[in-house]
Amino acid sequence: LEPVLAAAATQLFGGADVAGVSYTQIARRSSVPAKRRGAKPLPSTAYHIDGEANQSGARFPDCFSVLAAVALTPHLEPGMGNLSVFPGAHLRDWTSYPDWKRTRTLPDLGPVVEIVLDAGDACLVHPLLPHRGGRNESSVDRDVAFYRVQRDGVDYASAERAVRLLAEPFAELPGAAPFAPD
């Protein structure tokens, strides 16, 4: 993990060290064919929260404390396949998320925000924040590297960890709590 990202994560962790990266993903959002551009927007129920809720529900929330998204290509305006988030939705009660995901009954979260990044820019995302890749209606592919960052001292295999994080969304991110909406 780049030093500047590790420092930002440590600040969010309330001074706790970064233990490592649980896994990394390179995500490409290819440009949709010109004849399919301008299609109906994705519904506000089209999102996911990282974890295995899509299959067994055995690992939810996922085994990281913050998601670092690093743009490998510029996506400087909406509609370029941007990482898209639902601000404040990480504060909802997500205990039923695995069931909602399996039964395709996800709640409508309202308006989505497309994150605009230049190549090399990064954003840090709460592990319970619903997100998705946006539709890429530009003429270029969008690439992002995702790092699932773990906090030192957290037992990610513990069932108690999941219960605590779902009850206290800032349990692993005390440095972010002062910025949380009331």
Side-chain angles (χ1 to χ4, degrees):
L1 194 62
E2 292 295 317
V4 68
L5 287 177
T10 296
Q11 184 177 0
L12 290 174
F13 295 163
D17 289 331
V18 170
V21 174
S22 62
Y23 60 99
T24 303
Q25 168 192 9
I26 304 297
R28 168 164 281 176
R29 211 31 105 160
S30 295
S31 179
V32 298
K35 64 182 178 184
R36 289 185 39 219
R37 293 184 188 158
K40 185 172 131 182
L42 294 171
S44 298
T45 56
Y47 58 85
H48 69 275
I49 299 173
D50 288 350
E52 290 186 0
N54 296 349
Q55 292 85 25
S56 66
R59 191 186 76 223
F60 177 76
D62 210 345
C63 56
F64 65 91
S65 295
V66 71
L67 176 67
V70 180
L72 302 178
T73 57
H75 38 285
L76 299 173
E77 55 191 58
M80 296 185 74
N82 309 49
L83 169 64
S84 301
V85 299
F86 295 85
H90 59 296
L91 301 175
R92 292 177 65 114
D93 179 359
W94 289 109
T95 53
S96 296
Y97 177 74
D99 292 329
W100 294 335
K101 189 70 176 177
R102 277 192 295 272
T103 60
R104 297 184 176 156
T105 56
L106 292 171
D108 186 319
L109 297 180
V112 67
V113 173
E114 295 186 51
I115 306 296
V116 174
L117 299 170
D118 201 352
D121 288 350
C123 66
L124 300 177
V125 179
H126 192 282
L128 294 176
L129 186 65
H131 58 280
R132 66 183 183 210
R135 185 177 283 123
N136 187 351
E137 297 199 352
S138 74
S139 60
V140 296
D141 292 341
R142 182 277 286 156
D143 296 327
V144 174
F146 290 101
Y147 301 89
R148 274 81 178 177
V149 183
Q150 294 183 322
R151 177 186 165 163
D152 193 39
V154 175
D155 180 1
Y156 292 96
S158 164
E160 292 79 23
R161 182 258 174 176
V163 170
R164 182 171 183 221
L165 184 60
L166 289 166
E168 301 172 47
F170 292 103
E172 296 170 12
L173 301 171
F179 305 103
D182 292 331

